[in-house]
Amino acid sequence: MRRRVIAGNWKMYKTLADTRAFFSSFLPLVTDAKHCDMVVAPPFTAISTAFECAKGSSVAVAGQNVSWSKEGAFTGEVSPPCLPKPAAATSSSPLERRQLFRETDDNVAKKTLMALDSGLTPIVCLGETQEDRDAGLTEQVLSRQFTEAPAR
């Protein structure tokens, strides 16, 4: 049976001081938790601080996003080698990246393959819009996103 994972993507929340305060409050609450893996994905600006704070705990730190390219002139993107080690996972294309930044299923597949090729464990996000849900298309949209995922 697969192990359960609880992951939290912080989006654009938490400064460095907020990150330290979070871990100071959170880690004592989960010290004895053994029923699942826990992953936090802070903003890239706080990822090194999160790694420092989580060191020695059972909480893994992940990148929120990963580029489909190892390097290049892609302003604002984060390549797998740029993530601090040992990045446990990386999140690929939450719904807002699909909606606001027009990421396609093909781009998500390329990012997922890059994460795998770089030794990261990808967390691939699926999701439908409210319009899709209201139109009864949830299953169709999620199925398409899932089947467009890369095959290994």
Side-chain angles (χ1 to χ4, degrees), residues 7-58:
N9 184 334
W10 293 358
K11 311 292 181 180
M12 283 180 29
Y13 297 99
K14 298 202 187 311
T15 63
L16 299 182
D18 294 336
T19 299
R20 286 186 192 93
F22 169 83
F23 277 100
S24 180
S25 297
F26 181 66
L27 290 179
L29 300 174
V30 299
T31 300
D32 297 326
K34 307 271 186 267
H35 64 286
C36 67
D37 292 328
M38 291 169 281
V39 180
V40 296
F44 189 67
T45 54
I47 198 167
S48 290
T49 300
F51 268 108
E52 174 188 311
C53 293
K55 189 174 185 176
S57 78
S58 61

Side-chain angles (χ1 to χ4, degrees), residues 53-77:
C53 293
K55 189 174 185 176
S57 78
S58 61
V59 177
V61 178
Q64 288 186 4
N65 190 24
V66 67
S67 176
W68 46 263
S69 180
K70 280 193 177 177
E71 62 183 15
F74 304 106
T75 302
E77 287 295 302

Side-chain angles (χ1 to χ4, degrees), residues 39-131:
V39 180
V40 296
F44 189 67
T45 54
I47 198 167
S48 290
T49 300
F51 268 108
E52 174 188 311
C53 293
K55 189 174 185 176
S57 78
S58 61
V59 177
V61 178
Q64 288 186 4
N65 190 24
V66 67
S67 176
W68 46 263
S69 180
K70 280 193 177 177
E71 62 183 15
F74 304 106
T75 302
E77 287 295 302
V78 178
S79 69
C82 289
L83 288 171
K85 301 301 181 249
T90 186
S91 181
S92 282
S93 300
L95 182 59
E96 74 272 4
R97 292 206 53 91
R98 292 175 188 263
Q99 287 182 302
L100 301 175
F101 300 106
R102 307 285 187 245
E103 288 194 359
T104 64
D105 294 336
D106 183 57
N107 285 346
V108 174
K110 288 194 294 189
K111 290 171 144 194
T112 302
L113 288 173
M114 177 57 69
L116 289 168
D117 289 344
S118 300
L120 298 170
T121 301
I123 299 171
V124 181
C125 303
L126 308 178
E128 81 281 20
T129 63
Q130 183 66 49
E131 293 79 20

Side-chain angles (χ1 to χ4, degrees), residues 105 128 132 135-147:
D105 294 336
E128 81 281 20
D132 292 333
L137 298 173
T138 297
E139 191 170 321
Q140 180 182 340
V141 169
L142 297 181
S143 177
R144 184 200 75 237
Q145 291 174 358
F146 185 78
T147 58

